[in-house]
Amino acid sequence: MLLWDYESESWASPISGMSEEKRRDLALSCIEGTVESFRPSFETSFTAPTVSFVGIALRDFRANLGDPGSSVAVRDEEAFFDGLHALVDEDPAPGLAALVMAVSEYADCLRNRPLGSREVLGVLSSCYEAILNEERIPRVTPDAERANANCRRVLDMQQRLVIDFSGR
């Protein structure tokens, strides 16, 4: 098990007690926080097309957050998902596949189903995995993850957001 699995065991209950809008905001805030956590930066860790695509998607999601009926917040959903998943074939950066999974899960819930606590936890898990993969820890164990400052920082960020959003 990853350190994330241990650390997040108590998060399901506060997340399930949130409104759907808060869960959407929490998941999106975690994706945004993850993007800010790549080292040395998101812009240097990924190709320019990846940075552009993800940046535009996150801005669109944030702009449409208050609209409970909003879809993926793009004109052509099929092109959005095709472009999102194509990033993995075009950009070999570690962590990208998990980041794509987080963005895809978030966007898919906007168009097809509610963003429940299980889906939010899936987004958060994928976000953590993106950073874990980018950190390239030789042998992944909970102790090795604890010793990695960036993994610890992302876990702390996610925990703070869960606590903050459940108290609002």
Side-chain angles (χ1 to χ4, degrees):
M1 279 178 57
L2 296 177
L3 179 60
W4 186 91
D5 296 308
Y6 296 109
E7 296 285 329
S8 67
E9 283 178 341
S10 64
W11 298 354
S13 179
I15 292 171
S16 66
M18 295 176 193
S19 68
E20 168 124 9
E21 184 175 350
K22 281 185 184 180
R23 287 191 301 267
R24 286 176 63 188
D25 196 357
L26 168 63
L28 182 56
S29 295
C30 283
I31 296 170
E32 292 166 337
T34 299
V35 165
E36 294 170 8
S37 297
F38 285 97
R39 302 285 177 243
S41 71
F42 184 67
E43 292 75 17
T44 58
S45 295
F46 298 97
T47 64
T50 296
V51 170
S52 177
F53 191 99
V54 171
I56 289 168
L58 295 180
R59 279 191 299 277
D60 288 347
F61 293 156
R62 181 59 63 191
N64 290 292
L65 187 63
D67 179 7
S70 72
S71 184
V72 177
V74 294
R75 288 183 188 87
D76 185 347
E77 289 181 18
E78 187 175 334
F80 171 81
F81 282 99
D82 287 349
L84 177 63
H85 294 288
L87 294 175
V88 178
D89 295 329
E90 300 164 5
D91 189 339
L96 181 58
L99 181 62
V100 164
M101 180 61 75
V103 172
S104 180
E105 175 80 9
Y106 181 85
D108 192 47
C109 284
L110 294 181
R111 71 177 183 166
N112 287 326
R113 61 191 194 284
L115 189 66
S117 61
R118 185 172 59 187
E119 290 79 14
V120 171
L121 287 168
V123 169
L124 272 60
S125 176
S126 292
C127 287
Y128 177 75
E129 189 175 332
I131 295 301
L132 178 63
N133 291 340
E134 194 239 359
E135 288 298 313
R136 300 177 189 173
I137 297 172
R139 184 168 179 266
V140 176
T141 65
D143 287 338
E145 293 171 74
R146 263 187 213 95
N148 182 284
N150 208 22
C151 287
R152 195 67 244 163
R153 187 178 308 111
V154 169
L155 279 170
D156 291 344
M157 175 265 300
Q158 288 186 358
Q159 184 173 25
R160 275 192 314 277
L161 286 171
V162 169
I163 290 168
D164 288 352
F165 277 92
S166 64
R168 289 183 185 180

